[in-house]
């Protein structure tokens, strides 16, 4: 009997995809407020459709932000500057419906249950803040790539970034902002061995035959983004498989904040709590808790305690301390998972205020991750991607690890 191949697929989309347009607008608003009022509370959703942008949500801030101007600038940066591209930053209609954050939510965030019940006396924000909502967040890391991310999502993001670069640098003149990519990787156990299939769909100007588009995408995008040793003669390549992708962006499909949470995270390789990131200030644990969970999981893998690690953290609204912490290493751990969980509790403060302080989250750093993934971004200096706790965990575990096989990553 022939051996059944174990295949896993992840998807990424370009910054011009309608859902990513919405994410970037939401985070552009957040960044503008964080730049002037680091303590501002923001929960903004964006909806885009043919010729229209609708922004709604809750904002409590001491500053003024010209939201329509931010919307138009974000659309220009993405590349939607002409109606024939599917959207025009200068002529689209913009509506804004924003209210203040609910006082019922605010009183739980401003003063945690622990403070209210007298368990602690709040001396600063670290001790005072309660979680901005209930929910569970997941973080993940593995040794498949130097980013400690799953290979399929790393390659998918690399493809979409290369498509965007080919458009912006006029390498392929006829490309338009919308696009997506998908990569299927064959695994032997947890080890990736080859790329089985590549799918790239790129929006383009009218009048270009699919064979020309295919040739250009393969030579300027796929050959650039995916190393030849990962592909073989059996790797299947699909470029614009429908044969035409002229109508794109919000003209072709509606876009909404928070609809690409799998592309934002681990490409489906890890579980997801369901909460989106974009448009939310760091008091919302959907965002800060997920960033902290990635930071912890990455340091566990970087330390050599496990080759794969998934961490779940759960919160109750208005309560600072997590209600649960769960560690899963999929049989790759070198000490007991219970012991790893104890090390997490001992060396990582996962209260919302402590996360915000440790990762310096009250800054305008969010729009840059609203496209091409929030994790595994070597092009950005993201605090939750640092491995500065790896040596601490290794020493606290009290075990000897082969330094050649499991070296500590270099970090600054």
């Amino acid at each position: 009997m022939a051996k059944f191949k174990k295949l896993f697929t992840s998807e990424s989309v370009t910054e011009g995809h309608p859902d990513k347009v919405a994410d970037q607008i939401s985070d552009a608003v957040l960044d503008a407020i964080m730049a002037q009022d680091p303590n501002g509370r923001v929960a903004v959703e964006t909806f885009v459709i043919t010729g229209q942008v609708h922004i709604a949500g809750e904002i409590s801030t001491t500053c003024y932000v010209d939201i329509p101007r931010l919307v138009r600038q974000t659309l220009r940066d993405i590349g939607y500057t002409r109606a024939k591209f599917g959207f025009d930053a200068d002529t689209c209609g913009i509506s804004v419906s924003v209210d203040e954050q609910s006082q019922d939510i605010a009183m739980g965030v401003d003063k945690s249950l622990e403070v209210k019940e007298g368990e602690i006396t709040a001396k600063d924000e670290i001790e005072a803040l309660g979680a901005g909502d209930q929910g569970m967040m997941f973080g993940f890391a593995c040794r498949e790539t130097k980013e400690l991310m799953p290979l399929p999502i790393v390659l998918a993001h690399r493809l979409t970034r290369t498509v965007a670069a080919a458009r912006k640098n006029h390498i392929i003149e006829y490309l338009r902002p919308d696009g997506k990519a998908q990569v299927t990787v064959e695994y032997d156990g947890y080890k990736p061995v080859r790329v089985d299939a590549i799918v790239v769909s790129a929006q383009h100007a009218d009048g270009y035959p699919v064979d020309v588009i295919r040739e250009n995408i393969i030579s300027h995008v796929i050959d650039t983004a995916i190393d030849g040793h990962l592909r073989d003669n059996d790797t299947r390549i699909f470029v614009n498989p429908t044969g035409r992708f002229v109508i794109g962006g919000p003209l072709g499909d509606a876009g909404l904040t928070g609809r690409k949470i799998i592309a934002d995270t681990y490409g489906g390789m890890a579980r997801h709590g369901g909460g989106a990131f974009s448009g939310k200030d760091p008091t919302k644990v959907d965002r800060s808790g997920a960033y902290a969970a990635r930071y912890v999981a990455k340091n566990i893998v970087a330390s050599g305690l496990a080759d794969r690690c998934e961490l779940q953290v759960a919160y109750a609204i208005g309560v600072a301390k997590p209600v649960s912490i769960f560690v899963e290493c999929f049989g790759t751990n070198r000490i007991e998972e219970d012991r790893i969980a104890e090390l997490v509790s001992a060396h990582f403060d996962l209260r919302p205020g402590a996360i915000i302080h440790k990762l310096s989250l009250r800054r305008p750093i969010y729009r840059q991750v609203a496209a091409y993934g929030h994790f595994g971004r070597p092009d950005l200096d993201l605090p939750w991607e640092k491995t500065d706790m790896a040596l601490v965990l290794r020493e606290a575990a009290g075990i000897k690890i082969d330094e050649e096989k499991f070296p500590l990553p270099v970090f600054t």
Side-chain angles (χ1 to χ4, degrees):
M1 181 181 293
K3 182 180 179 181
F4 183 75
K5 293 191 294 186
K6 185 178 179 182
L7 304 175
F8 192 89
T9 301
S10 292
E11 177 200 44
S12 174
V13 299
T14 68
E15 62 212 68
H17 185 281
D19 294 330
K20 277 291 138 201
V21 171
D23 284 341
Q24 290 168 91
I25 289 172
S26 293
D27 274 339
V29 174
L30 173 61
D31 275 359
I33 291 172
M34 289 287 105
Q36 300 179 66
D37 178 14
N39 293 308
R41 300 282 171 80
V42 182
V44 168
E45 308 281 349
T46 302
F47 171 65
V48 296
I49 190 61
T50 306
Q52 301 174 61
V53 178
H54 303 280
I55 298 175
E58 298 80 43
I59 298 176
S60 296
T61 181
T62 59
C63 70
Y64 170 74
V65 171
D66 187 341
I67 292 179
R69 183 188 63 79
L70 281 173
V71 171
R72 297 191 193 281
Q73 186 57 54
T74 301
L75 291 169
R76 289 189 201 100
D77 293 344
I78 293 169
Y80 284 120
T81 55
R82 301 182 67 181
K84 69 178 184 178
F85 294 172
F87 217 70
D88 185 351
D90 294 314
T91 62
C92 66
I94 300 171
S95 69
V96 179
S97 180
V98 171
D99 205 345
E100 290 186 339
Q101 183 184 64
S102 162
Q103 289 301 310
D104 291 348
I105 295 174
M107 69 180 185
V109 177
D110 295 336
K111 186 179 292 186
S112 68
L113 182 66
E114 292 92 328
V115 174
K116 292 176 183 175
E117 294 189 346
E119 292 181 23
I120 61 172
T121 300
K123 299 176 182 177
D124 53 30
E125 180 187 61
I126 293 176
E127 296 181 340
L129 277 184
D133 202 352
Q134 70 176 44
M136 63 283 190
M137 296 79 218
F138 288 90
F140 182 79
C142 61
R143 285 191 173 270
E144 293 179 25
T145 63
K146 64 182 180 181
E147 299 93 343
L148 302 186
M149 287 284 287
L151 181 62
I153 190 64
V154 167
L155 295 180
H157 284 322
R158 198 175 293 169
L159 283 170
T160 52
R161 287 171 64 87
T162 306
V163 168
R167 170 177 63 89
K168 292 181 175 181
N169 296 328
H170 308 288
I171 296 170
I172 305 179
E173 293 281 354
Y174 54 79
L175 290 183
R176 298 295 184 250
D178 199 357
K180 55 177 61 177
Q182 187 173 281
V183 177
T184 301
V185 173
E186 181 180 345
Y187 281 81
D188 179 5
Y190 286 131
K191 180 182 179 181
V193 294
R194 59 182 288 275
V195 171
D196 187 76
I198 299 167
V199 183
V200 177
S201 295
Q203 185 191 10
H204 58 89
D206 201 2
Y208 290 85
V210 69
D211 57 335
V212 171
I213 297 170
R214 176 184 169 86
E215 179 182 346
N216 287 335
I217 290 293
I218 290 175
S219 61
H220 295 298
V221 175
I222 295 175
D223 288 346
T224 299
I226 299 183
D227 294 340
H229 75 275
L230 293 172
R231 296 150 51 192
D232 55 33
N233 292 333
D234 293 325
T235 299
R236 296 164 292 159
I237 296 177
F238 304 90
V239 176
N240 285 17
T242 66
R244 175 183 167 89
F245 187 4
V246 173
I247 300 173
L251 179 63
D253 194 8
L256 185 66
T257 299
R259 279 205 306 210
K260 285 292 175 283
I261 56 177
I262 297 303
D264 283 341
T265 53
Y266 308 102
M269 186 68 78
R271 286 169 281 198
H272 198 293
F277 302 153
S278 292
K280 297 177 181 178
D281 75 79
T283 66
K284 280 72 173 175
V285 285
D286 278 341
R287 178 164 230 157
S288 55
Y291 289 174
R294 162 64 176 173
Y295 175 61
V296 174
K298 187 173 184 181
N299 275 276
I300 290 170
V301 171
S303 73
L305 299 184
D307 290 343
R308 301 174 78 82
C309 180
E310 184 180 76
L311 180 86
Q312 185 202 58
V313 185
Y315 293 91
I317 188 169
V319 181
K321 292 182 179 179
V323 297
S324 69
I325 297 173
F326 174 77
V327 176
E328 169 69 66
C329 296
F330 310 96
T332 69
N333 44 301
R334 291 171 183 83
I335 63 174
E336 292 298 321
E337 287 173 339
D338 289 349
R339 176 60 178 147
I340 295 177
E342 290 175 359
L343 291 172
V344 171
S345 296
H347 295 281
F348 295 91
D349 190 342
L350 295 175
R351 294 174 298 167
I355 293 170
I356 291 170
H357 177 73
K358 173 68 177 179
L359 301 181
S360 301
L361 297 181
R362 291 198 182 280
R363 299 179 290 148
I365 58 174
Y366 298 109
R367 187 188 155 192
Q368 63 182 344
V369 292
Y372 311 117
H374 293 244
F375 309 125
R377 295 291 300 271
D379 56 310
L380 302 174
D381 182 22
L382 300 175
W384 53 88
E385 289 296 308
K386 295 186 182 299
T387 53
D388 52 346
M389 291 295 291
L391 181 58
V392 173
L393 289 174
R394 181 181 290 191
E395 292 178 344
I399 61 172
K400 185 172 178 58
I401 296 175
D402 187 335
E403 295 286 349
E404 291 186 4
K405 191 174 182 181
F406 306 108
L408 284 167
V410 176
F411 58 86
T412 57

